[in-house]
Amino acid sequence: MGENAISGNLKNLTIDTKDSENLVVCFGEMLIDFVPTVGGVSLAEAPAFKKAPGGAPANVAVGVSRLGGSSAFIGKVGDDEFGRMLADILRLNNVDNSGMRFDHNARTALAFVTLRADGEREFLFFRHPSADMLLLESELDKNLIQKAKIFHYGSISLIEEPCRSTQLAAMKIAKASGSLLSYDPNLRLPLWPSEDAAKKEIMSIWNLADVIKVSEDEITFLTGGDDPYDDDVVLQKLFHPDLKLLVVSEGPNGCRYYTQEFKGRVGGVKVKPVDTTGAGDSFVSGLLNSLASDSTLLKDEKKLREALLFANACGAITVTERGAIPAMPSMDAVQNLLSSSSAPRS
């Protein structure tokens, strides 16, 4: 590994890229979530907070690794205690963190998040700017990106420069290397300067993705209030000619899928929910892990339905425990759930 593989004083936290042709590389933010020690309160009412690793792309990387797949994370954190902790968490979860960079001036991003008694999520972000927003194109580990079977990203890195240009450059490298591009917009409106800016930027890279996962709420937002359950809305406004798979996640109800050749629905797996944090990321990791090992499922509806049922089970297990990364399931846990009577038939 070259000297430029990492900046800062954290060479001991990098691990070698796994020799795997099925590598899933996740690009974007990793941060610290502060969650109230009691449920159903506003941020102001919370008596105390517990810290937890967060950031959707990092969650997906851990999820893939937990399932036995090969994954890597590319992003920037502060050269601080929290940044070192996050790098270590990835390493301990067998995620290649050699693409991480450490900023000496900006801090690791922080997010205070709670689920209020009325069921609404409340966010308070500290990114003024945070290190994740400052990743430069020159800091990209191009060799790592070129190894990706799947290159996965969100939209939060599009909010500010220089990270926006860096993400576009990384996507271009991955596309040129033959990687499958996977996009989960992961809308977080409080981070954007305006709703119009969010919509414009999220859609600006829409047509570059091969696989897109979107939620019902995101469909409503991106289409200007249209019915997220209307197939015509999804196909006319969100499906683009080069898209290989569009998945609409429906939480406990499962998901819908759209390809060039077929569309359908796969039911959810019933569990008793404790905390929905990370469920969508776990779903994505389950789908990408299957896709990385068998890309033919994009053309085979039976295989695709099995992969989506598997992904639904991943998300279901995650809601039975608190936190995102701690609740990401193992392959055994998913297979045990699917073999139980609670799982619907694919």
Side-chain angles (χ1 to χ4, degrees), residues 187 189 192 194-203 221-222:
L187 178 66
L189 267 181
W192 291 88
S194 69
E195 289 194 7
D196 286 345
K199 194 177 299 184
K200 178 173 174 285
E201 287 298 329
I202 287 171
M203 295 307 295
F221 174 75
L222 294 171

Side-chain angles (χ1 to χ4, degrees), residues 72-311:
F73 173 75
I74 293 177
K76 201 173 197 181
V77 292
D79 186 10
D80 52 38
E81 285 292 314
F82 285 146
R84 286 186 279 276
M85 182 190 100
L86 293 175
D88 217 19
I89 285 167
L90 291 181
R91 182 179 60 81
L92 292 169
N93 282 281
N94 296 313
V95 175
D96 182 342
N97 65 7
S98 62
M100 285 184 83
R101 300 294 178 259
F102 300 83
D103 198 291
H104 300 294
N105 299 311
R107 296 294 189 200
T108 301
L110 308 179
F112 289 79
V113 57
T114 188
L115 192 64
R116 298 192 313 233
D118 60 7
E120 286 298 310
R121 277 182 184 270
E122 189 179 347
F123 292 96
L124 181 60
F125 294 96
F126 286 78
R127 301 170 85 239
H128 306 292
S130 54
D132 61 291
M133 301 155 70
L134 302 176
L135 184 66
L136 301 170
E137 184 178 343
S138 61
E139 295 176 306
L140 286 174
D141 187 334
K142 294 182 173 62
N143 290 332
L144 183 58
I145 297 170
Q146 287 167 343
K147 291 175 185 173
K149 177 84 171 280
I150 298 174
F151 184 73
H152 176 72
Y153 50 88
S155 70
I156 287 172
S157 297
L158 299 174
I159 297 172
E160 294 272 359
E161 292 290 358
C163 196
R164 179 183 179 276
S165 293
T166 305
Q167 173 165 332
L168 296 176
M171 289 166 58
K172 193 173 180 181
I173 294 166
K175 195 78 166 176
S177 304
S179 305
L180 199 72
L181 265 55
S182 165
Y183 184 24
D184 178 358
N186 198 37
L187 178 66
R188 292 287 180 268
L189 267 181
L191 289 175
W192 291 88
S194 69
E195 289 194 7
D196 286 345
K199 194 177 299 184
K200 178 173 174 285
E201 287 298 329
I202 287 171
M203 295 307 295
S204 72
I205 60 169
W206 199 263
N207 290 351
L208 300 173
D210 298 299
V211 175
I212 297 175
K213 175 256 176 190
V214 67
S215 70
E216 304 152 289
D217 290 345
E218 286 163 348
I219 292 175
T220 303
F221 174 75
L222 294 171
T223 60
D226 287 353
D227 181 1
Y229 304 102
D230 186 333
D231 283 349
D232 290 335
V233 166
V234 174
L235 289 168
Q236 289 168 21
K237 295 200 174 182
L238 297 178
F239 200 92
H240 66 78
D242 297 321
L243 193 57
K244 294 178 173 67
L245 174 64
L246 176 65
V247 178
V248 180
S249 58
E250 298 183 347
N253 297 320
C255 64
R256 306 199 307 276
Y257 59 89
Y258 304 84
T259 74
Q260 302 279 2
E261 294 158 30
F262 40 76
K263 63 180 200 258
R265 200 172 168 282
V266 177
V269 181
K270 287 184 172 55
V271 291
K272 188 173 182 181
V274 172
D275 176 15
T276 59
T277 305
D281 301 330
S282 184
F283 172 90
V284 170
S285 65
L287 175 59
L288 296 187
N289 189 60
S290 298
L291 252 180
S293 55
D294 184 7
S295 58
T296 66
L297 61 83
L298 293 170
K299 296 282 187 184
D300 183 326
E301 188 169 13
K302 182 176 183 293
K303 279 189 192 174
L304 177 62
R305 290 182 64 84
E306 287 170 0
L308 290 171
L309 180 60
F310 179 88

